[in-house]
Amino acid sequence: MPTSTWFRLNVAKRERVLEVAMREFGEHGYSTGSLNTIAREAGIAKGSLFQYFSDKLEFFAFVCDEASRSIREEMERRIARLDLDQPFDEWLFDVLCDWTEYMADHPLERAVTAATNFELDNSVRSVIRETANQHYLQVIHPTLKLWQEHGDIREDADLDVLATLILTVLPFLALAPYYDGLDPIHDLRGRTPAEQRPVIRQIIAGIKPMFAPAK
């Protein structure tokens, strides 16, 4: 949690620090990103960062939380517009297509997602992944329970396993088209969101036996 000094900054300054930090961590990772660069480009003294946050881990967690919140809120808006009268697998296809389109259109948020998933330092990765995962799970778990109540996911389906797979698929689809070496099977590297759709169909078809009600 930032200190009260952070909240006394004007909104524009806070937004500038956050934007610069997202860009720096997105380009270089959390533990290897430069706090000196962030301070210089945000127009603050480096020491000021530690008046706003108790230590680097708190700063990393805050940046990750704000980026993850922005992503979650936009995806929630997009999901709210989807047709709930269609089957769950078709709805999930629409969600994942929206997800890949969002990531294509938001390179800064995509880069922070990459930094969160690729972080090498164990202590840093533990903090930022836990932070990001809470935002994913705030959407995934309630949504799966709702679809199960509607009967589109059978009663004996293991929602934790299904949530685990979706939690794995989301960063894969977000990053594989933009980073080398992440997808040796479907060859998503360089594909546009429209070109990714057949792969999304294939993935959903593969996991459908886990949840599809008996005919």
Side-chain angles (χ1 to χ4, degrees):
M1 182 71 177
T3 67
S4 59
T5 306
W6 169 259
F7 293 106
R8 288 198 294 270
L9 280 177
N10 65 66
V11 173
K13 178 68 75 173
R14 292 202 304 265
E15 290 179 348
R16 178 63 179 164
V17 172
L18 181 60
E19 178 186 357
V20 170
M22 288 175 62
R23 187 167 63 247
E24 177 67 14
F25 296 150
E27 291 178 1
H28 303 288
Y30 286 90
S31 60
T32 52
S34 169
L35 297 184
N36 286 326
T37 297
I38 293 171
R40 183 179 65 253
E41 294 190 5
I44 61 174
K46 180 181 177 182
S48 295
L49 285 175
F50 298 106
Q51 294 177 354
Y52 306 149
F53 303 93
S54 61
D55 55 29
K56 288 193 295 186
L57 278 180
E58 185 177 72
F59 181 46
F60 296 160
F62 176 77
V63 173
C64 180
D65 186 57
E66 289 298 304
S68 300
R69 186 190 315 281
S70 176
I71 295 169
R72 173 175 60 81
E73 290 176 350
E74 174 57 25
M75 284 304 301
E76 286 176 328
R77 285 189 287 270
R78 293 178 181 227
I79 289 171
R81 298 195 295 263
L82 297 179
D83 180 10
L84 287 174
D85 291 329
Q86 62 185 325
F88 171 68
D89 57 331
E90 291 298 324
W91 176 89
L92 182 59
F93 174 76
D94 287 345
V95 170
L96 296 181
C97 288
D98 267 346
W99 173 254
T100 58
E101 289 169 5
Y102 174 86
M103 286 297 170
D105 293 338
H106 294 79
L108 182 59
E109 286 79 2
R110 184 178 71 231
V112 175
T113 299
T116 302
N117 283 271
F118 298 158
E119 175 59 49
L120 294 177
D121 186 295
N122 285 333
S123 61
V124 175
R125 186 175 62 252
S126 175
V127 169
I128 59 177
R129 286 295 297 270
E130 181 178 0
T131 299
N133 286 341
Q134 292 307 308
H135 286 279
Y136 285 105
L137 294 176
Q138 282 181 45
V139 178
I140 293 172
H141 273 315
T143 302
L144 292 179
K145 290 178 181 177
L146 179 64
W147 279 102
Q148 190 174 53
E149 291 170 1
H150 285 179
D152 273 63
I153 297 177
R154 65 176 186 270
E155 291 185 3
D156 66 338
D158 191 327
L159 296 188
D160 285 341
V161 171
L162 187 53
T164 299
L165 289 175
I166 293 174
L167 192 63
T168 303
V169 165
L170 287 172
F172 169 74
L173 290 176
L175 304 177
Y178 307 97
Y179 294 88
D180 293 334
L182 297 185
D183 180 24
I185 297 172
H186 301 287
D187 193 28
L188 283 175
R189 182 72 171 95
R191 293 200 195 185
T192 66
E195 293 169 337
Q196 295 167 43
R197 291 187 173 195
V199 174
I200 295 174
R201 285 279 188 201
Q202 186 178 354
I203 290 171
I204 293 175
I207 66 175
K208 187 173 180 178
M210 294 179 53
F211 63 80
K215 295 183 179 179

